[in-house]
Amino acid sequence: MAYLFTSESVSEGHPDKIADQISDAVLDAMLAQDPHSRVACETLVTTGLTVVAGEITTKAYVEIQDIVRKTIQEIGYNKAEYQFEALSCGITVALHSQSPDIAQGVNEGEGIDKEQGAGDQGMMFGYASTETPEYMPMALAFSHRIVKELANIRKNNLQLMPYLRPDAKAQVTIEYDNHNKPVRVHTVVVSTQHDDFDKEAAMLKKIHDEVIAHVVKKVIPANLLDDKTVYHINPTGKFVIGGPHGDSGLTGRKIIVDTYGGKGAHGGGAFSGKDPSKVDRSAAYAARHIAKNLVAAGVADEILVQVAYAIGVAKPVSLNVNTYGTSKLGLSDEQIGVIVAELFDMRPKALVERLGLKNPIYSPTAAYGHMGREPYTAKVDFMLVEIKEDANHKTEVRTKSSKEVEFFTWEKLDYVQKVKDAFKIK
């Protein structure tokens, strides 16, 4: 055994993920009316209470309370016994407009740099590897699969495990060999909230056995599990009290779950509730898009892309590529970085347009990871708001429409051929 590496994921019913999903639902509702909305929406959930706060500048009008209740209902908190329930929880809204000092640096034609500048300073990372079909680290990919399957059973096949409640966590440890290749699953940890019961010992064994049989062995390839794999299923014992009643939740507190599970690197900025002018989010997506297309094109087996910005400035202050010594082309990481910078325009306006990030596409990202997802197209309803002014008054014009919108565009392999051409890969 060379070394072990561990990553975790959490379900959509985890309190921090509830907060993320509410924040992104608010963002989507505003982008569906005004694609130029500036949104920085934070959410707190706790026993019987949701608080929505932040800075928003938009032409849109949305009923925040309706969005909050609908999101909580869809997650599955619909029983009073959970002590956090969609129809009865209190909701406090504290939103105000974005600082004009920040806005002048982001708005095109304003500020010192007349191009659309970055919404903040900071560094963002994108990572990809050949470990899994989704070009993600194996430990995180398997952790996501476990909690996603628990939710699938709870929502679509509850008779299989009728005791499941919304809150859950999973953690997977992968054993690597001396060549940095994954060889087996060493340990699986799953904690799932469940209904209360009388016969505790018998029920805990039932949950233990069924989680392994119906979840773990369904989503993890059999050749990576063996008789030495260690299982810790609800290791503290019963897990009845969960969700926001068991622990408060906050937007942006699961950033490692959202990205690469501790592999590669993370710049520190959260994603959910932020419109794409915030490079914390949009540039992290663009960096993942670069890394995934480079790996898929055969540039290297593992790649980390870093990009950094100054607030209000369009051009990145740096772009760095690290192949961890896995480059297949005889090029240095510096040489690869130069070609990448020429191929991918990382100015905020350019990357937002390239990835279609002004559409209301963010709610699905708020659980089970922002990276490693399957791109898809779906019809989305819009109610676009236009304010027309004359000398005497303002008129609000609302136009209802629907159109096909691409989700998880940063996961598309649409630049593979361009990468091959740029690096002269046959």
Short mmCIF file of all heavy atoms in Angstrom, two decimals, residues 33-35 59-60 383-389 394-399:
data_model
loop_
_atom_site.label_atom_id
_atom_site.label_comp_id
_atom_site.label_asym_id
_atom_site.label_seq_id
_atom_site.Cartn_x
_atom_site.Cartn_y
_atom_site.Cartn_z
N GLN A 33 -35.66 36.45 -14.91
CA GLN A 33 -36.31 37.73 -15.23
C GLN A 33 -35.32 38.76 -15.73
O GLN A 33 -35.65 39.58 -16.60
CB GLN A 33 -37.04 38.26 -14.00
CG GLN A 33 -38.20 37.39 -13.54
CD GLN A 33 -38.95 38.02 -12.38
OE1 GLN A 33 -39.10 39.24 -12.29
NE2 GLN A 33 -39.45 37.18 -11.48
N ASP A 34 -34.13 38.74 -15.18
CA ASP A 34 -33.11 39.73 -15.54
C ASP A 34 -31.75 39.05 -15.58
O ASP A 34 -31.13 38.82 -14.54
CB ASP A 34 -33.10 40.87 -14.51
CG ASP A 34 -32.04 41.92 -14.80
OD1 ASP A 34 -31.38 41.84 -15.86
OD2 ASP A 34 -31.86 42.81 -13.94
N PRO A 35 -31.26 38.67 -16.77
CA PRO A 35 -29.99 37.95 -16.86
C PRO A 35 -28.79 38.76 -16.41
O PRO A 35 -27.71 38.21 -16.23
CB PRO A 35 -29.88 37.60 -18.35
CG PRO A 35 -30.77 38.56 -19.04
CD PRO A 35 -31.89 38.86 -18.09
N LYS A 59 -33.65 43.92 -11.89
CA LYS A 59 -34.97 44.39 -12.31
C LYS A 59 -36.06 43.38 -11.92
O LYS A 59 -37.25 43.68 -12.04
CB LYS A 59 -34.99 44.58 -13.83
CG LYS A 59 -34.03 45.63 -14.36
CD LYS A 59 -34.05 45.64 -15.88
CE LYS A 59 -33.03 46.61 -16.46
NZ LYS A 59 -32.96 46.52 -17.94
N ALA A 60 -35.65 42.20 -11.52
CA ALA A 60 -36.60 41.12 -11.24
C ALA A 60 -37.36 41.38 -9.95
O ALA A 60 -36.88 42.05 -9.02
CB ALA A 60 -35.87 39.79 -11.14
N MET A 383 -39.26 35.19 -17.75
CA MET A 383 -40.16 36.33 -17.71
C MET A 383 -39.28 37.57 -17.69
O MET A 383 -39.00 38.16 -16.64
CB MET A 383 -41.06 36.29 -16.47
CG MET A 383 -42.03 37.46 -16.39
SD MET A 383 -43.29 37.46 -17.69
CE MET A 383 -44.39 36.19 -17.06
N LEU A 384 -38.78 37.94 -18.87
CA LEU A 384 -37.79 39.00 -18.96
C LEU A 384 -38.42 40.36 -18.71
O LEU A 384 -39.50 40.68 -19.21
CB LEU A 384 -37.12 38.97 -20.33
CG LEU A 384 -36.31 37.70 -20.62
CD1 LEU A 384 -35.74 37.75 -22.03
CD2 LEU A 384 -35.19 37.51 -19.61
N VAL A 385 -37.72 41.16 -17.92
CA VAL A 385 -38.21 42.48 -17.51
C VAL A 385 -37.39 43.55 -18.19
O VAL A 385 -36.15 43.54 -18.15
CB VAL A 385 -38.12 42.65 -15.98
CG1 VAL A 385 -38.64 44.01 -15.57
CG2 VAL A 385 -38.89 41.54 -15.27
N GLU A 386 -38.07 44.49 -18.83
CA GLU A 386 -37.41 45.62 -19.47
C GLU A 386 -38.05 46.91 -18.96
O GLU A 386 -39.28 47.02 -18.90
CB GLU A 386 -37.55 45.53 -20.98
CG GLU A 386 -36.81 46.64 -21.73
CD GLU A 386 -36.96 46.53 -23.23
OE1 GLU A 386 -37.69 45.63 -23.69
OE2 GLU A 386 -36.37 47.36 -23.94
N ILE A 387 -37.22 47.84 -18.54
CA ILE A 387 -37.71 49.13 -18.05
C ILE A 387 -37.55 50.17 -19.15
O ILE A 387 -36.44 50.46 -19.58
CB ILE A 387 -36.95 49.59 -16.79
CG1 ILE A 387 -36.97 48.49 -15.71
CG2 ILE A 387 -37.55 50.88 -16.26
CD1 ILE A 387 -38.35 48.13 -15.22
N LYS A 388 -38.67 50.70 -19.64
CA LYS A 388 -38.64 51.74 -20.66
C LYS A 388 -38.95 53.08 -20.03
O LYS A 388 -39.90 53.22 -19.25
CB LYS A 388 -39.64 51.42 -21.76
CG LYS A 388 -39.30 50.15 -22.55
CD LYS A 388 -40.23 49.93 -23.73
CE LYS A 388 -39.80 48.71 -24.54
NZ LYS A 388 -40.69 48.49 -25.72
N GLU A 389 -38.15 54.09 -20.37
CA GLU A 389 -38.30 55.41 -19.76
C GLU A 389 -38.55 56.46 -20.83
O GLU A 389 -38.01 56.40 -21.93
CB GLU A 389 -37.03 55.78 -18.98
CG GLU A 389 -36.68 54.85 -17.84
CD GLU A 389 -35.47 55.34 -17.06
OE1 GLU A 389 -35.44 56.54 -16.72
OE2 GLU A 389 -34.58 54.52 -16.79
N LYS A 394 -41.58 55.86 -16.02
CA LYS A 394 -40.98 54.59 -16.38
C LYS A 394 -42.08 53.55 -16.60
O LYS A 394 -43.07 53.54 -15.88
CB LYS A 394 -40.05 54.09 -15.27
CG LYS A 394 -38.83 54.97 -15.02
CD LYS A 394 -37.97 54.37 -13.91
CE LYS A 394 -36.75 55.23 -13.64
NZ LYS A 394 -35.91 54.65 -12.54
N THR A 395 -41.88 52.70 -17.59
CA THR A 395 -42.83 51.63 -17.86
C THR A 395 -42.10 50.29 -17.81
O THR A 395 -41.04 50.12 -18.42
CB THR A 395 -43.47 51.79 -19.26
OG1 THR A 395 -44.10 53.07 -19.34
CG2 THR A 395 -44.50 50.69 -19.49
N GLU A 396 -42.68 49.36 -17.06
CA GLU A 396 -42.09 48.02 -16.95
C GLU A 396 -42.79 47.09 -17.94
O GLU A 396 -44.01 46.94 -17.91
CB GLU A 396 -42.26 47.48 -15.52
CG GLU A 396 -41.64 46.12 -15.31
CD GLU A 396 -41.84 45.60 -13.89
OE1 GLU A 396 -41.16 46.11 -12.97
OE2 GLU A 396 -42.69 44.71 -13.72
N VAL A 397 -42.00 46.48 -18.80
CA VAL A 397 -42.53 45.55 -19.80
C VAL A 397 -42.02 44.15 -19.49
O VAL A 397 -40.81 43.92 -19.40
CB VAL A 397 -42.13 45.96 -21.23
CG1 VAL A 397 -42.67 44.96 -22.24
CG2 VAL A 397 -42.61 47.37 -21.54
N ARG A 398 -42.95 43.20 -19.31
CA ARG A 398 -42.57 41.81 -19.02
C ARG A 398 -42.92 40.93 -20.21
O ARG A 398 -44.05 40.94 -20.68
CB ARG A 398 -43.28 41.32 -17.76
CG ARG A 398 -42.75 41.99 -16.48
CD ARG A 398 -43.51 41.54 -15.24
NE ARG A 398 -42.85 42.04 -14.06
CZ ARG A 398 -42.01 41.34 -13.31
NH1 ARG A 398 -41.74 40.08 -13.63
NH2 ARG A 398 -41.43 41.87 -12.24
N THR A 399 -41.96 40.15 -20.66
CA THR A 399 -42.15 39.28 -21.81
C THR A 399 -41.91 37.83 -21.40
O THR A 399 -40.79 37.47 -21.00
CB THR A 399 -41.19 39.66 -22.96
OG1 THR A 399 -41.35 41.05 -23.26
CG2 THR A 399 -41.48 38.83 -24.19
#
